[in-house]
Amino acid sequence: MAADFAIRTYRSANDFLVACAPALVATRSISANFALTTTYALEEHPNEQGMSGSGDDLWISAILCCDDHPHDARPLFALAIIGNHAGRLASSVDLKGLPPARISDAMHQLVLAAREANVAGTRIFGIIGPKALCEPFADAWGSEYGLRPKLIMDFALTYVTRTTLRPSTLSLASNVTLGLCLPADLGVAAAMSERATHPMDEPVPPPLDAVAAHVHAKKLIDGRHLYGARVDGVLRSIVSITRETPGVRAVSKAYTDPLVRGLGLAEALVRYALQRVFEDGTVHSVCLFFEPSNPSAVRLYSKIGFTITAGENEDWAEVAWETH
């Protein structure tokens, strides 16, 4: 028997955040927080590149109504369809504690609600979120709209807190300096930003071309979100840590010039940037995505203090629709 869900649709970021963000953020789930990033960005900066002003943005929530959960702890699932981004999925509960059949039914209900709201099948080019949500959602969306889902990538979500951040054991050469990137760094930083682009980057969907990378790098520098490591005064490594939701930040870009790799610049720079971010007492965690199959990334982030434990990090996925 299908689970009983209360379905709600919202046409503004503010209405959705007022109704649903408290339940999602209260979990202190890095996953739930991260899934709200584009919504917060739209609410705070509606006119920025990549943010839609056409009025066809849509948020849908599905609240599980049953006796298994107290009224104030009912699982809430949410779908955000914003601008020209991939759709985003979020849940207010640990998905490992829910039967797969209920998760699948929730995703089906979200898809039906989108259909009833006259959302076209190609309105989103794909879906991003916890894998336990993405897979059944993509199947339901594909079935409803006659599209074939295609897995783009698997990755895992990890995070570091002020207390788990580990002190450095590195000794950098005297010709290495760390600090915020400056307006004069824009040209080099933009070129690095273009090469470092990850499909999850905001606010521009993939791929970033040279012009978009320049705009994005300028935004990061102006916002004091882009940090750099210099060797003999030349910018050789960058990392950006951006605001995601209240209390949560994310490592969104990281790139080191191949000519200076192996010197510990990336580790030193990421740790330095995290220390600066945690000086803001309202920040409780910084998250990032990584590929568990990449041993160098696993070693790097583990040394810094990110929580990386086999079977414990939440699996995420990006799924798109095959084109013919």
Side-chain angles (χ1 to χ4, degrees):
M1 180 180 296
D4 184 17
F5 289 95
I7 305 298
R8 301 286 185 271
T9 59
Y10 310 89
R11 287 291 181 177
S12 78
N14 181 71
D15 289 348
F16 170 75
L17 290 173
V18 168
C20 299
L24 293 168
V25 175
T27 65
R28 294 182 70 87
S29 160
I30 303 302
S31 170
N33 274 269
F34 195 85
L36 294 173
T37 58
T38 310
T39 300
Y40 274 103
L42 176 63
E43 173 68 4
E44 296 177 0
H45 307 288
N47 297 318
E48 283 190 0
Q49 182 180 4
M51 294 292 105
S52 170
S54 62
D56 63 349
D57 296 328
L58 183 69
W59 293 260
I60 306 172
S61 67
I63 302 175
L64 180 61
C65 302
C66 63
D67 296 333
D68 296 352
H69 302 272
H71 181 75
D72 59 352
R74 291 173 178 172
L76 179 149
F77 304 94
L79 166 67
I81 299 175
I82 305 171
N84 51 5
H85 296 269
R88 288 287 185 92
L89 289 168
S91 170
S92 68
V93 294
D94 182 355
L95 297 172
K96 295 178 182 177
L98 287 178
R102 279 194 169 166
I103 295 176
S104 294
D105 193 51
M107 298 302 99
H108 183 65
Q109 295 295 325
L110 291 176
V111 171
L112 290 180
R115 185 75 163 189
E116 291 174 1
N118 297 316
V119 174
T122 54
R123 171 65 180 80
I124 52 175
F125 62 82
I127 191 73
I128 295 172
K131 194 171 184 178
L133 299 181
C134 273
E135 289 184 336
F137 179 91
D139 288 342
W141 190 274
S143 177
E144 183 67 26
Y145 288 101
L147 298 170
R148 181 177 298 176
K150 177 183 179 181
L151 179 66
I152 300 300
M153 65 185 302
D154 283 316
F155 40 94
L157 183 66
T158 184
Y159 66 94
V160 65
T161 67
R162 185 180 292 103
T163 56
T164 62
L165 180 62
R166 295 175 180 171
S168 175
T169 58
L170 289 171
S171 179
L172 294 176
S174 59
N175 63 338
V176 175
T177 57
L178 309 175
L180 282 166
C181 287
L182 305 173
D185 297 317
L186 180 56
V188 176
M192 289 184 173
S193 179
E194 184 179 1
R195 290 191 287 271
T197 296
H198 184 283
M200 289 291 291
D201 280 342
E202 300 293 353
V204 184
L208 282 184
D209 57 24
V211 174
H214 187 277
V215 171
H216 195 46
K218 185 178 187 304
K219 175 188 172 184
L220 292 173
I221 292 173
D222 291 347
R224 299 174 65 83
H225 300 309
L226 191 64
Y227 298 83
R230 293 175 172 79
V231 179
D232 293 324
V234 178
L235 187 64
R236 295 293 192 181
S237 182
I238 61 169
V239 64
S240 63
I241 300 184
T242 54
R243 181 184 183 277
E244 299 305 320
T245 63
V248 178
R249 302 292 184 269
V251 177
S252 59
K253 288 186 182 297
Y255 181 83
T256 299
D257 187 329
L259 295 176
V260 294
R261 289 178 185 172
L263 302 180
L265 292 185
E267 179 184 345
L269 182 59
V270 172
R271 184 179 281 106
Y272 171 86
L274 290 171
Q275 290 170 340
R276 301 288 79 77
V277 167
F278 282 130
E279 289 175 356
D280 179 348
T282 66
V283 177
H284 60 73
S285 53
V286 177
C287 62
L288 64 78
F289 290 108
F290 72 100
E291 294 183 48
S293 60
N294 184 337
S296 60
V298 169
R299 284 194 300 270
L300 169 63
Y301 298 132
S302 295
K303 284 193 293 184
I304 292 172
F306 283 90
T307 301
I308 299 180
T309 305
E312 293 298 320
N313 296 107
E314 185 172 52
D315 293 327
W316 272 50
E318 179 180 5
V319 180
W321 323 125
E322 287 190 355
T323 57
H324 302 285

